[in-house]
């Protein structure tokens, strides 16, 4: 079945609100493509101005983080209803920087996936192995374990709307991209796992992205692979190159 391509930028902790608006204006014409879902996942403080800046364009807005409770005494946190009300549609969950720097584990990540769906947000669920696991050749088991835990209690209908991003940690921000064959191997493995955990129809619908130093030069080859439905892009999402990836 034909899955719609999804190219998402992860701006991470970059761009002040005024810089964010300037970037939206710079990218506006470059990211036009009616056949692709284009998403900017932006810092919380940039959400309101970015939603305003992309109005009337093909760009959707995502957030980079949230907490699993709707409101209350959680100093410094932001909730799913707040994001939804501001115009956010997508939410990155389980990024390796949140797992490794902020100690988020698969129990919290699973709660976040369920809360996002319950709140009308589409999760971009990240998984990926370290260089040590890649070298030890245990990366497949690791990815299977992450996805199995993160999707515990998530329904097939929800998984059909889910976006999964395979992001080998050794390729994030390092300039070292997985080869198209390495990326395809794991994206195919994830799709087979979804078929095993759910059914083939669900596996055929779930969209799987590759992420890790994707750029204007390597996007076309990665995106030509049958199980790679898009990209989650860090560094290159902050540059005009992002438009070339959208149109690769
Ligand atoms: C990311 O952080 O999701 C990412 C893929 O970063 P980069 O493209 O910079 O490797």
């Amino acid at each position: 079945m034909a899955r719609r391509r999804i190219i998402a930028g992860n701006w991470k902790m970059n761009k002040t609100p005024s810089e964010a608006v300037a970037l939206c204006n710079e990218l506006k014409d470059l990211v036009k493509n009616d056949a692709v879902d284009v998403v900017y996942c932006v810092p919380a403080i940039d959400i309101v101005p970015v939603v305003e800046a992309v109005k009337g364009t093909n760009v959707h807005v995502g957030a980079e983080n949230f907490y699993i409770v709707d409101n209350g005494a959680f100093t410094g946190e932001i909730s799913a209803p707040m994001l939804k009300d501001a115009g956010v549609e997508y939410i990155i969950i389980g990024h390796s920087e949140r797992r490794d720097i902020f100690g988020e584990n698969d129990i919290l990540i699973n709660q976040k996936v369920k809360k996002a769906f319950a709140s009308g947000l589409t999760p971009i669920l990240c998984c990926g192995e370290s260089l040590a696991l890649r070298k030890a050749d245990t990366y497949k088991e690791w990815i299977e374990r992450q996805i199995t835990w993160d999707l515990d209690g998530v329904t097939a209908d929800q998984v059909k709307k889910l976006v999964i991003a395979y992001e080998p940690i050794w390729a994030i921000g390092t300039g070292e991209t997985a080869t198209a064959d390495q990326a395809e191997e794991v994206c195919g493995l994830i799709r087979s796992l979804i078929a095993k955990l759910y059914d083939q129809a669900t596996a055929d619908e779930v969209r799987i992205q590759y992420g890790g130093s994707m750029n204007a030069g390597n996007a076309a080859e990665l995106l030509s692979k049958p199980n790679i439905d898009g990209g989650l892009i860090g560094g290159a999402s902050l540059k005009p190159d992002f438009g070339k990836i959208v149109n690769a």
Side-chain angles (χ1 to χ4, degrees):
M1 75 162 286
R3 290 176 292 272
R4 196 171 154 81
R5 187 174 285 184
I6 176 162
I7 302 292
N10 173 13
W11 290 12
K12 310 195 184 193
M13 198 174 73
N14 293 295
K15 303 296 171 189
T16 65
S18 55
E19 289 169 348
V21 171
L23 181 60
C24 291
N25 293 336
E26 186 185 0
L27 295 180
K28 194 171 172 177
D29 291 332
L30 305 176
V31 299
K32 277 190 184 148
N33 187 332
D34 290 340
V36 177
D37 286 339
V38 180
V39 186
Y40 297 165
C41 297
V42 305
I45 197 162
D46 294 343
I47 288 169
V48 170
V50 166
V51 166
E52 190 58 34
V54 301
K55 246 182 207 151
T57 75
N58 60 324
V59 174
H60 303 264
V61 179
E64 299 176 16
N65 189 31
F66 77 112
Y67 190 54
I68 50 173
V69 174
D70 282 351
N71 50 52
F74 301 96
T75 302
E77 292 297 327
I78 190 162
S79 74
M82 291 172 185
L83 297 176
K84 185 80 184 148
D85 186 61
V88 167
E89 295 172 75
Y90 292 87
I91 174 77
I92 297 176
I93 299 175
H95 192 280
S96 59
E97 286 152 19
R98 299 245 27 116
R99 292 179 190 257
D100 295 346
I101 303 171
F102 300 100
E104 293 195 9
N105 62 22
D106 289 294
I107 295 171
L108 179 62
I109 290 163
N110 172 247
Q111 290 173 320
K112 287 188 167 191
V113 171
K114 290 191 275 202
K115 182 66 186 177
F117 276 123
S119 308
L121 299 170
T122 299
I124 298 176
L125 172 63
C126 302
C127 61
E129 81 283 4
S130 64
L131 187 58
L133 292 175
R134 168 64 59 169
K135 283 188 173 157
D137 201 23
T138 52
Y139 60 97
K140 293 181 196 157
E141 294 86 334
W142 175 262
I143 302 288
E144 288 195 351
R145 205 178 63 186
Q146 282 187 322
I147 296 291
T148 304
W149 281 357
D150 297 346
L151 293 184
D152 185 44
V154 179
T155 68
D157 282 345
Q158 289 172 329
V159 173
K160 285 177 182 161
K161 296 187 202 112
L162 179 69
V163 180
I164 297 174
Y166 167 55
E167 299 207 307
I169 298 169
W170 47 272
I172 295 179
T174 58
E176 185 174 346
T177 320
T179 65
D181 286 341
Q182 285 174 321
E184 168 64 13
E185 179 195 41
V186 178
C187 292
L189 177 98
I190 293 170
R191 199 174 305 286
S192 303
L193 176 65
I194 297 297
K196 201 167 83 186
L197 294 174
Y198 296 90
D199 50 53
Q200 193 56 47
T202 305
D204 287 342
E205 278 195 46
V206 66
R207 291 188 291 177
I208 304 175
Q209 298 173 312
Y210 167 76
S213 299
M214 194 187 262
N215 59 41
N218 58 30
E221 194 192 353
L222 286 159
L223 294 169
S224 71
K225 294 292 180 185
N227 285 297
I228 302 180
D229 307 313
L232 181 58
I233 294 105
S237 70
L238 301 169
K239 302 188 246 180
D241 262 16
F242 191 65
K244 295 196 185 126
I245 299 173
V246 168
N247 288 293

